[in-house]
Amino acid sequence: SPALAKPRAAFVTLRRGHELRGCIGFVEARHPLARAVVELARAAALEDLRFSPVDPEELPGITIEISVLTDPLPVGEPEEIEPGRDGLMVSRGPHRGLLLPQVAVEQGWDRWTLLDHCCLKAGLPANAWKDRQTEIRRFEADVFSEPEPAQDGPEKPRGPESGS
């Protein structure tokens, strides 16, 4: 697809069941989307410092989610933010934090809680979004995910042939 050849900002999230196993992304379009997804999937599995590297034996139970980001827009007023539609980037000085749009839905957060948690992720006080020196940008994402693998592995055949 020609869309895969266009540079896009993206994130790759790895989960094992409902447990996060890695999430790494580019907030700016650095590479064609196809290349970015490959690099980010490897980095999410092996380089997310919050987690031990994904072990090859874990791979059958890992689901991959790809978030392709729109260009970020500055937020003038917090009421512009719609949880579930918007992800947030918060920055002030050397502090930076980002939350993807799906996080607010997964956590059941309203816009105020989303703002607080994005500030905390940036290493700022929760209410730092109220300070005009804190830059807040919002973005949307097209999210693609594979189906979650069965917890017990593939279903085994039943019937006279299988000895059941």
Side-chain angles (χ1 to χ4, degrees), residues 37-140:
V37 168
V38 170
E39 287 185 26
L40 293 170
R42 185 196 58 72
L46 303 174
E47 297 174 10
D48 188 332
L49 299 177
R50 299 172 294 176
F51 306 97
S52 62
V54 172
D55 194 84
E57 288 80 37
E58 287 182 86
L59 290 176
I62 297 286
T63 56
I64 300 171
E65 179 180 274
I66 300 165
S67 300
V68 182
L69 282 52
T70 61
D71 292 331
L73 301 170
V75 173
E77 297 298 325
E79 290 77 14
E80 297 172 23
I81 299 166
E82 185 179 315
R85 178 195 70 190
D86 297 323
L88 295 182
M89 295 179 199
V90 171
S91 61
R92 186 168 74 197
H95 301 278
R96 305 228 180 309
L98 181 142
L99 290 171
L100 295 169
Q102 55 270 39
V103 172
V105 174
E106 292 166 359
Q107 300 298 320
W109 293 341
D110 61 16
R111 78 172 44 95
W112 315 112
T113 307
L114 175 60
L115 282 159
D116 286 348
H117 279 275
C118 199
C119 289
L120 290 170
K121 187 163 185 190
L124 296 167
N127 64 355
W129 58 269
K130 295 176 182 179
D131 185 331
R132 289 287 178 189
Q133 292 188 11
T134 301
E135 182 182 354
I136 306 168
R137 295 184 294 162
R138 65 181 175 86
F139 59 91
E140 296 179 30

